[in-house]
């Protein structure tokens, strides 16, 4: 959305896509909580991106290097073994994220132990025929090594549970959760799911569900209201797995000299004052590269990035403040930590011996 918004304002845009087709994670979203069809909107956006005279799309391409500074960046793009050099004024990082492939709960050992994404695909393609479904939330999330909440998992579980009740009203749906976080207006859909007799059972980290699959899939969990352990035998076990940052985030961070947070997502300059900026001027971020978020939030952030980028590239000239750096020998211990972050590559480490 940021690329299209900038192009429609008359700016030239280079869109680098590492995959063979555009769309990213949105290609896996078949319907929204409110019943809308995002695929039609996505197809329309892709058609406009591919045909817009101000947009050059580089598919199945990678970025080899990025040099320069605000208003004067140079990027080397590799596509089909060819390198192309492009000059541009700003950089927008929208590298996305990926779905975690669970190692828990026997995922991958049975065709009927699947992820929420795979369930949504079955429902969209009318290949759903289960009579008993169990969903387990927070798979791989909010635990040691990955303490963050992926934010959208609860809403997706509610969305798919409601879709199941729509296409197969007699199907029983159980959602095993730690905390239901259908934040904002999505809380209404959680209430709707309860009215549709979707059963929500809470579990603690000390008593996670246990899954066995001898002849049939069995899920056992402590039921807090009954005060005893219950056993469920679903036809279909659905895992709500976390959102992971892309593995190439670290490479992009080094190229642009921009920070990552402790979870591997890109870190904005200021959460409230500069939510789509990096500390490095002229570099912006949007979407799942920043943090897990839903489609509405991603689009809003994309539009915000387009507005911020336009404030720079709409100018014919920029007044850059004079920056003169010098090393204070008395304070320097030769650690060399200042060399890589320098946006102008102005510092070098010179070793010498003292008498």
């Amino acid at each position: 959305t940021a690329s299209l918004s900038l192009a429609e304002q008359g700016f030239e845009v280079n869109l680098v896509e590492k995959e063979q087709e555009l769309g990213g994670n949105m290609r896996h979203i078949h319907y929204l909580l409110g019943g809308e069809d995002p695929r039609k909107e996505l197809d329309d956006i892709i058609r406009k991106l591919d045909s817009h005279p101000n947009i050059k799309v580089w598919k199945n391409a990678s970025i080899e290097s990025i040099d320069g500074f605000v208003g004067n960046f140079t990027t080397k793009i590799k596509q089909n073994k060819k390198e192309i050099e492009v000059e541009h004024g700003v950089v927008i990082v929208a590298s996305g994220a990926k779905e975690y492939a669970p190692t828990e709960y026997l995922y991958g050992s049975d065709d009927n132990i699947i992820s929420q994404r795979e369930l949504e695909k079955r429902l969209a393609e009318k290949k759903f025929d289960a009579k008993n479904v169990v969903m387990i939330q927070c798979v791989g999330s909010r635990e040691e090594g990955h303490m963050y909440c992926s934010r959208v998992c609860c809403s997706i579980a509610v969305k798919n549970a409601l879709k199941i009740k729509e296409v197969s009203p007699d199907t029983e749906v159980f959602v095993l959760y730690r905390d239901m976080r259908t934040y904002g207006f999505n809380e209404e859909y959680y209430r709707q799911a309860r009215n549709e007799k979707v059963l929500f059972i809470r579990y603690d980290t000390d008593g996670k569900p246990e899954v066995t699959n001898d002849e049939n899939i069995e899920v056992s969990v402590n039921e807090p209201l009954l005060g005893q352990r219950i056993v469920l035998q679903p036809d279909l076990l659905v895992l709500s797995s976390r959102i992971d940052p892309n593995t190439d985030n670290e490479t992009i961070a080094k190229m642009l000299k921009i920070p990552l947070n402790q979870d591997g997502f890109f870190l904005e300059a200021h959460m409230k004052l500069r939510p789509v900026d990096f500390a490095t001027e002229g570099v912006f971020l949007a979407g799942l590269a920043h943090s897990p978020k839903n489609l509405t939030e991603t689009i809003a952030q994309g539009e915000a990035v387009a507005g911020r980028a336009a404030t720079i590239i709409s100018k014919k000239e920029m007044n850059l403040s004079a920056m003169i750096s010098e090393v204070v020998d008395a304070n320097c211990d030769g650690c060399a930590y200042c060399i890589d972050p320098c946006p102008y590559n102005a510092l070098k480490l010179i070793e010498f011996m003292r008498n």
Side-chain angles (χ1 to χ4, degrees):
T1 56
S3 298
L4 188 58
S5 179
L6 288 167
E8 289 178 344
Q9 294 178 60
F11 301 114
E12 293 185 4
V13 177
N14 284 278
L15 178 57
V16 182
E17 173 57 60
K18 63 183 178 182
E19 297 184 12
Q20 189 58 45
E21 57 181 321
L22 297 174
N25 285 296
M26 194 174 172
R27 295 201 308 268
H28 304 290
I29 303 175
H30 299 271
Y31 47 85
L32 301 181
L33 264 169
E36 304 91 342
D37 181 4
R39 302 303 292 266
K40 292 180 180 179
E41 183 68 21
L42 176 61
D43 291 342
D44 184 52
I45 291 174
I46 291 175
R47 179 183 55 78
K48 290 179 180 178
L49 290 171
D50 281 330
S51 61
H52 203 290
N54 291 339
I55 298 177
K56 172 62 179 177
V57 180
W58 307 91
K59 297 179 183 177
N60 199 23
S62 61
I63 293 176
E64 298 298 295
S65 66
I66 303 176
D67 297 304
F69 50 91
V70 57
N72 190 28
F73 288 103
T74 302
T75 295
K76 288 183 180 178
I77 302 171
K78 187 174 183 180
Q79 183 187 51
N80 299 327
K81 298 182 180 181
K82 294 182 180 179
E83 278 195 0
I84 305 97
E85 194 169 271
V86 176
E87 295 182 350
H88 50 101
V90 298
V91 178
I92 297 175
V93 178
S95 55
K98 59 185 179 181
E99 182 186 51
Y100 163 64
T103 57
E104 302 91 334
Y105 304 117
L106 304 181
Y107 178 79
S109 66
D110 191 301
D111 290 341
N112 290 320
I113 302 177
I114 62 176
S115 68
Q116 289 286 358
R117 175 182 288 184
E118 292 165 330
L119 171 61
E120 184 166 333
K121 184 178 180 182
R122 288 191 187 187
L123 287 164
E125 294 177 351
K126 296 183 169 53
K127 294 180 180 179
F128 175 84
D129 60 357
K131 293 301 180 185
N132 192 306
V133 177
V134 171
M135 300 180 180
I136 302 179
Q137 302 300 108
C138 291
V139 177
S141 289
R142 301 171 62 206
E143 56 188 30
E144 194 63 36
H146 302 277
M147 292 302 295
Y148 60 93
C149 171
S150 293
R151 301 185 74 232
V152 300
C153 311
C154 290
S155 296
I156 291 174
V158 167
K159 177 182 76 170
N160 288 337
L162 286 171
K163 178 61 75 170
I164 289 171
K165 286 296 186 179
E166 177 186 327
V167 301
S168 180
D170 294 332
T171 296
E172 292 185 319
V173 182
F174 299 85
V175 180
L176 312 185
Y177 71 97
R178 286 175 60 186
D179 302 282
M180 287 306 295
R181 296 182 172 184
T182 49
Y183 60 93
F185 293 111
N186 289 343
E187 187 75 10
E188 181 58 36
Y189 296 103
Y190 166 64
R191 294 194 187 96
Q192 183 180 336
R194 294 185 63 177
N195 291 335
E196 294 288 342
K197 298 183 180 179
V198 175
L199 299 181
F200 293 84
I201 301 174
R202 191 177 187 278
Y203 72 89
D204 295 318
T205 51
D206 295 334
K208 288 184 177 180
E210 295 179 1
V211 178
T212 59
N213 188 14
D214 296 328
E215 295 181 359
N216 299 296
I217 299 171
E218 286 191 352
V219 182
S220 62
V221 64
N222 288 323
E223 215 295 333
L225 296 178
L226 297 176
Q228 63 184 35
R229 199 162 186 85
I230 63 171
V231 177
L232 304 170
Q233 294 183 322
D235 305 319
L236 195 63
L237 176 60
V238 185
L239 307 182
S240 298
S241 56
R242 70 171 182 262
I243 294 175
D244 274 341
N246 271 330
T247 52
D248 54 2
N249 281 4
E250 188 173 346
T251 302
I252 297 172
K254 289 180 179 178
M255 285 184 186
L256 291 168
K257 299 178 176 65
I258 52 180
L260 298 172
N261 65 19
Q262 63 183 2
D263 299 315
F265 295 96
F266 288 101
L267 184 63
E268 72 277 18
H270 192 285
M271 184 182 295
K272 293 184 178 179
L273 302 180
R274 299 177 66 192
V276 297
D277 295 56
F278 286 108
T280 302
E281 192 174 1
V283 185
F284 307 97
L285 80 162
L288 295 180
H290 174 221
S291 65
K293 54 177 61 71
N294 63 35
L295 183 59
T296 302
E297 292 167 331
T298 299
I299 293 173
Q301 197 172 28
E303 295 292 342
V305 163
R308 288 289 295 121
T311 63
I312 293 176
I313 56 179
S314 61
K315 299 175 182 178
K316 292 183 179 180
E317 297 180 351
M318 290 188 65
N319 294 323
L320 300 177
S321 57
M323 299 178 68
I324 301 175
S325 58
E326 61 182 31
V327 177
V328 181
D329 290 337
N331 299 335
C332 179
D333 63 2
C335 68
Y337 286 158
C338 60
I339 294 176
D340 286 340
C342 178
Y344 305 105
N345 297 317
L347 302 176
K348 292 182 180 179
L349 181 65
I350 301 175
E351 300 183 25
F352 61 93
M353 298 294 292
R354 292 183 185 271
N355 293 327

